[in-house]
Amino acid sequence: MTEQQRPRIGVLAIQGDYSAHAEALRESGAEPVEVRKPEQLAGLDGLILPGGESTTMLKFLEKRHFFDRLVEFSASKPVFGTCAGAILLAREVRNPPQRSLAALDAVVERNAYGRQIDSSIVTAETELPGGPLEMVFIRAPRIVDTGADVEILARRDGSPSLIKQGMVMAATFHPELSHDRRVHRLFVETVAAATKN
Ligand code: GLN
């Protein structure tokens, strides 16, 4: 892709491993933009909400109408939430309940795997072409329910771990921490397709 064709994709850079996402986006053909203020959403073709601590991220977003701007953005542009970001995108959050952007028809339970196995690397089958997918889980949530329009692209122990509903994607793992770029490439392709319309 030439520079001009590279979609500009924001990475919410409040907390967490946003720089690994920016690098993964660059390797997947996009131009990453770190987003720290709601004004910086203007002109972006898509946005990644990274992992971190969703309660901390929420507190930050509730200032300066950032939350409301994100609700608008995620209703009209492609967004991808990983781990805490997936929690932020869900329709409903449990354990405990908390506010969310409700961009994705999914119910998410936080910290669902307990202390003993709070971090693990699982390799499992995926609907993405190219064979099994490595998934790095860190204090991961579990997707406990999805609506009829949600595609399930990978699972962990039977529960969806990578899902897509139109322009919205969510992963309960950290694809930016693996070398495999298939997940970021899928998001960049989703953004590129939405930008053409
Ligand atoms: N446990 C975190 C939360 O509930 C998510 C963990 C992560 O993003 N790695 O917000």
Side-chain angles (χ1 to χ4, degrees), residues 13 27 33 36-38 41 43 79-80 105 109 118 123 135 144 157 173 196:
E27 288 174 13
V33 180
R36 294 189 176 83
K37 299 177 198 161
L41 293 171
V79 283
F80 178 25
D105 190 2
E109 187 187 309
D118 64 1
T123 300
M135 298 181 278
V144 293
D157 301 332
F173 58 98
K196 265 189 230 145

Side-chain angles (χ1 to χ4, degrees), residues 42-145:
L44 294 179
D45 300 314
L47 181 70
I48 288 186
L49 304 173
E53 199 55 48
S54 55
T55 44
T56 309
M57 287 159 84
L58 257 185
K59 269 189 211 137
F60 184 92
L61 294 174
E62 282 172 343
K63 292 180 229 160
R64 301 181 59 213
H65 302 290
F66 208 158
F67 187 91
D68 305 323
R69 294 289 308 278
L70 276 183
V71 170
E72 281 166 29
F73 189 93
S74 56
S76 58
K77 297 270 173 75
V79 283
F80 178 25
T82 60
C83 206
I87 297 169
L88 291 175
L89 287 178
R91 162 168 68 77
E92 185 188 329
V93 180
R94 297 183 185 160
N95 189 37
Q98 68 188 28
R99 202 175 169 207
S100 57
L101 299 164
L104 182 63
D105 190 2
V107 180
V108 171
E109 187 187 309
R110 294 181 61 207
N111 301 320
Y113 292 93
R115 282 256 166 127
Q116 257 81 50
I117 50 160
D118 64 1
S119 300
S120 56
I121 300 179
V122 176
T123 300
E125 290 305 318
T126 172
E127 298 297 318
L128 301 178
L133 182 67
E134 177 186 273
M135 298 181 278
V136 178
F137 294 94
I138 304 170
R139 298 192 70 220
R142 190 201 308 261
I143 296 171
V144 293
D145 192 23

